[in-house]
Amino acid sequence: MKLSNRLQQIHDQIPEGSRLADIGSDHALLPVAAVRSGKAASAVAGEVNPGPYEAACKQVSDAGLQEQITVRRGDGLEVVSAGEVDVITIAGMGGALIASILDRGLSKLEEVKMLILQPNVGEDILRRWLLDHQWVVVAERLLEEDGKIYEIITAMPQASSPIANEEVYLARPLEGGVVLTQDLLLRMGPYLVDRPTDVFFAKWESEIVKLRGVVQSISKSDQDSSREKAAEVERLIANLKEVLECLPKVKR
């Protein structure tokens, strides 16, 4: 079984011998691959929808891994008990939804050593949740696959992280007097801005185009609140452009 590049990179972040929970597991491809490779000693594949749940059950059965992988139907982290797993993966959802799943399952996170998260959108929302709940982003990956750009965020509890949040989000100057503020680091990724790639520039150039569309839409309203919102988005666009212009360019 060959994983997509996106799932393979998530797989590669899992520590050897983990007790894994994959939330929103779909066809349970990741848990099956992780158990086969030894990345996971055991796994729970959680899925809320009946179709994917049945597909996951079949995948695990076909792989002959029913002893190591349990497929459970349920919403978010309700499929695991406190202390049952030490690594959680959640991929292919919006950042706000992932944050909501973690928030509703806070009691299940006390003994978890690592979160490996792949939001499709709203990465900044997820980073803010992690920061507010004493989780430290220790690695980030950015990749493009099938015309889509994905971010993979790996986080550890503050108590066991090799780096503190204060260091991760420490404001840093760029050339030309531009400062990467905490807000910009949360939005763009504290590790991704340090090693900008072609994919990074493509992502943020695309985001700026979307933000300009937001400004055009908001500007059609005469309300004061709409004008203030449009001005706020304009400032964000200006800040993002300044950062992109000051970051070291890779060969195109």
Side-chain angles (χ1 to χ4, degrees):
M1 180 181 64
K2 182 173 174 58
L3 295 176
S4 65
N5 187 24
R6 175 180 65 96
L7 287 181
Q8 185 64 50
Q9 292 210 31
I10 294 170
H11 167 277
D12 293 347
Q13 291 293 295
I14 301 170
E16 295 284 335
S18 296
R19 292 177 291 126
L20 173 69
D22 184 39
I23 305 303
S25 196
D26 199 6
H27 286 62
L29 295 175
L30 183 60
V32 167
V35 168
R36 281 179 168 170
S37 70
K39 286 283 191 176
S42 62
V44 174
E47 182 54 61
V48 70
N49 296 311
Y53 167 77
E54 290 161 10
C57 290
K58 184 178 187 306
Q59 183 78 247
V60 171
S61 177
D62 290 350
L65 294 174
Q66 300 96 318
E67 293 292 319
Q68 295 103 312
I69 302 175
T70 306
V71 183
R72 297 175 187 164
R73 188 173 172 199
D75 188 13
L77 294 178
E78 71 178 25
V79 299
V80 296
S81 303
E84 185 179 9
V85 299
D86 56 17
V87 174
I88 294 173
T89 54
I90 310 178
M93 308 176 197
L97 178 55
I98 295 175
S100 174
I101 289 170
L102 295 173
D103 207 55
R104 286 183 280 116
L106 270 177
S107 63
K108 312 291 180 68
L109 299 180
E110 291 181 5
E111 295 183 43
V112 172
K113 299 175 183 175
M114 183 173 287
L115 299 172
I116 306 169
L117 312 168
Q118 183 269 294
N120 287 342
V121 294
E123 298 89 353
D124 59 319
I125 296 171
L126 186 52
R127 287 191 190 93
R128 290 177 196 280
W129 187 95
L130 293 168
L131 177 62
D132 290 343
H133 292 82
Q134 290 77 55
W135 283 81
V136 183
V137 176
V138 295
E140 295 175 318
R141 280 164 175 72
L142 189 69
L143 68 140
E144 185 173 9
E145 187 171 49
D146 298 329
K148 296 181 180 178
I149 295 176
Y150 301 103
E151 289 187 21
I152 299 168
I153 300 170
T154 303
M156 296 175 64
Q158 189 168 271
S160 57
S161 170
I163 188 170
N165 269 319
E166 289 78 9
E167 188 175 350
V168 172
Y169 294 112
L170 182 67
R172 57 199 79 164
L174 297 173
E175 292 182 3
V178 175
V179 176
L180 274 169
T181 62
Q182 183 184 85
D183 181 73
L184 285 168
L185 291 169
L186 284 162
R187 189 177 294 274
M188 303 180 82
Y191 299 95
L192 300 177
V193 294
D194 284 343
R195 296 181 294 276
T197 62
D198 275 338
V199 176
F200 178 87
F201 283 104
K203 172 186 171 67
W204 286 103
E205 286 161 2
S206 173
E207 289 297 322
I208 288 171
V209 171
K210 292 176 188 176
L211 288 169
R212 283 178 175 146
V214 170
V215 171
Q216 287 181 346
S217 178
I218 295 173
S219 298
K220 293 175 183 177
S221 171
D222 291 330
Q223 295 182 358
D224 289 342
S225 59
S226 297
R227 283 194 291 269
E228 290 170 5
K229 181 63 177 176
E232 180 184 328
V233 177
E234 289 277 19
R235 286 193 295 272
L236 174 58
I237 291 171
N239 289 337
L240 292 173
K241 289 179 66 177
E242 283 181 341
V243 170
L244 294 181
E245 288 166 4
C246 292
L247 289 174
K249 300 295 189 294
V250 291
K251 289 184 179 179
R252 299 268 177 152

